[in-house]
Amino acid sequence: MVPHLVTALTGPISELEQRILESVPAIERWFRLEWMEHTPPFYSSVDVRNASFKVAPVDTNLFPGGWNNLTPDMLPLAVQAAMAAVEKICPEARNLLIIPENHTRNRFYLANVAQLGRIFHAAGLNVRYGSISPEITENTAIDLPNGEQLLLEPVVRDGRRLGVAHFNPCTIVLNNDLSAGTPGILEDLHEQFLLPPLHAGWSVRRKSLHFKAYDDVCKRFGKMLGIDPWLVNPLFGHVQGVDFAQGQGIEALQEATQTVLNKVRRKYKEYGINEKPYVAIKADNGTYGMGVMMVQDAAELASINRRTRNKMAVIKDGQQVSDLIIQEGVPTIERIDGATAEPVVYMMDRYVVGGFYRTHADKGADENLNAPGATFIPLAFEAGHALNEQGQPGKALPNRFYMYGVIGRLAMLAASYELEQTNPEAEIY
């Protein structure tokens, strides 16, 4: 199920949300049957946009940071889910090694790593933090924003096993999305579980493949629920061979953009939506909100300025962009303290364990909020089920976070389809 969290939704319940809230038993059974056939990602987070007329994911992260943005009240849910995930893979697990990103100067990111460590420690595991960064050649203590310290130790390889000094883990959790490629030190491990697997990293993963899998999931979900899959699914296109620096492939990008915009316009007309459609053009292997631009008219692409070209040409770790996904833009209706907001749903194994809002005071409802200047607002548990002044159960409020939990799990299920397709060890019939 989904925790009952307070959201920024205070207005009337939309027709879509009402349909989802009325169908909880059918939805939960549908997910249970899916998880009998598919293995969920070890952990994930999903950025969700609520336009009222539709609710959809815009990004799915299989190496989620930001665990430090969850409230302490959510940690028991995460611990329980961590126990289920680890027991499924390695029931006798004792030692666990977390391998973070290499940017050791980002103390807020490392606070997320420390939070992950606390979750796994509370799940009954000995936890150490091993770095594959060339900068970490000896044990290095990093001061965290909350006054604590995180000890990073250089990872050592002994034959086909990985660990740190005097610590031999059976399970290794990657919090490094491998944008720069797969380091050889992580390959060909023996009798150690690497979670998530290497083919979940951006050196292999593509957003277009994920949203193709999501499209398949939504068709099945929509048929079960009796709704148009578009109501929970952003339309998208894909183009390859674009070179922003040299101006190559721009015509193909314009054609693909126009195709997606035309499809969205037809849907808007079908549903009587008086909004101007737009698309988000993103690096197909992008992350951290880099390599993203919003476009309302394909003609705009013929005259983008040098700054935008440079922004789109290179993403995290200096990776060159040539393949792009053109994704239907989903505006957000949510605002917190005057700032534009979008929920981020966090999951471990097949369980929703919490979430928070990403907000940005300088961005509009149709802009990318995963940008410098973003803030993170933790979500609290809804107190509507507490006892009233007479000691009787209070009025049960609808769980308005439930819809976001459904969208998050649909994206998580799509990720499981995606990982099955890209698994190099999968049997081919």
Side-chain angles (χ1 to χ4, degrees), residues 19 29 36 45 65 102 114 122 148 153 161 201 226 325 344 377 415:
R19 184 61 176 270
R29 179 179 183 273
M36 290 175 67
S45 69
N102 288 351
E148 297 179 359
E153 303 178 63
R161 294 186 68 84
I325 182 172
V344 185
I377 308 297

Side-chain angles (χ1 to χ4, degrees), residues 16 98 263 267 321 364 412:
L16 173 62
I98 298 178
K263 289 180 180 178
K267 279 295 182 183
V321 174
M412 175 171 58

Side-chain angles (χ1 to χ4, degrees), residues 19-60:
R19 184 61 176 270
I20 288 175
L21 289 172
E22 291 173 348
S23 305
V24 171
I27 290 171
E28 294 304 316
R29 179 179 183 273
W30 187 84
F31 275 120
R32 283 197 303 271
L33 294 176
E34 286 291 328
W35 296 130
M36 290 175 67
E37 300 293 332
H38 305 281
T39 301
F42 181 71
Y43 58 3
S44 55
S45 69
V46 177
D47 298 350
V48 180
R49 301 276 283 209
N50 183 354
S52 185
F53 57 85
K54 76 179 296 178
V55 183
V58 293
D59 202 14
T60 302

